[in-house]
Amino acid sequence: MEWGTLVATLGGGLIALAGTVMADRLRTRQEHRRGLQARRRDVYREFIAAAGAAHTELRCLAQNGPPASALFRASRAAYGRAAESPADREDAAGPFGPVYCMAGDEYQR
């Protein structure tokens, strides 16, 4: 029996196995990175939507909100509503649904 053929076959098998393991490892890393990027993007979107909702409500408060004695409580409530998910907000018309406050309108919450 020739040992050279057996050693070459085993060496080729080890090289193929190492290549497969490396390719699988790289693919797993890339999928993990993609998942992290998607989650990060979702968090950014939620933050931007909440910041926009809070900004809109605070503008409404500033323009024609409650009297000064209730302003602190109303502004804290506006931040609390903005922290809710867009689906839970009663005034959300989608994730970036604005609430318009016209001059002279009464602030109602």
Side-chain angles (χ1 to χ4, degrees), residues 1 8 27 33 35 40-41 48 59 68 73 95-96 109:
M1 180 168 166
R27 184 177 61 247
R33 244 183 278 132
R40 188 176 295 141
R41 224 176 294 121
I48 290 171
R59 277 186 66 117
R73 182 173 291 143
F96 299 103
R109 278 287 176 186

Side-chain angles (χ1 to χ4, degrees), residues 1 15 17 20 27 30 36 39 52 55 57 79 90 100:
M1 180 168 166
I15 290 171
L17 182 66
T20 302
R27 184 177 61 247
Q30 186 178 16
L36 284 176
R39 284 192 298 270
H55 178 258
E57 288 213 29
Y79 278 122
E90 59 197 40
Y100 296 104

Side-chain angles (χ1 to χ4, degrees), residues 45-46 48-50 52-53 81-82 84-99:
R45 281 189 199 122
E46 288 177 16
I48 290 171
R81 281 188 299 276
E84 297 171 358
S85 70
D88 294 340
R89 284 198 300 264
E90 59 197 40
D91 59 358
F96 299 103
V99 177

Side-chain angles (χ1 to χ4, degrees), residues 5-6 32-34 76 87 96 101:
T5 307
L6 183 61
H32 181 70
R33 244 183 278 132
R34 247 188 256 135
R76 297 308 300 167
F96 299 103
C101 182

Side-chain angles (χ1 to χ4, degrees), residues 12 15 19 21 26 28 32 37 44-45 47 59 67-68 72 88 98 103:
I15 290 171
V21 168
L26 290 174
T28 303
H32 181 70
Q37 287 175 343
Y44 289 162
R45 281 189 199 122
F47 174 77
R59 277 186 66 117
F72 178 76
D88 294 340

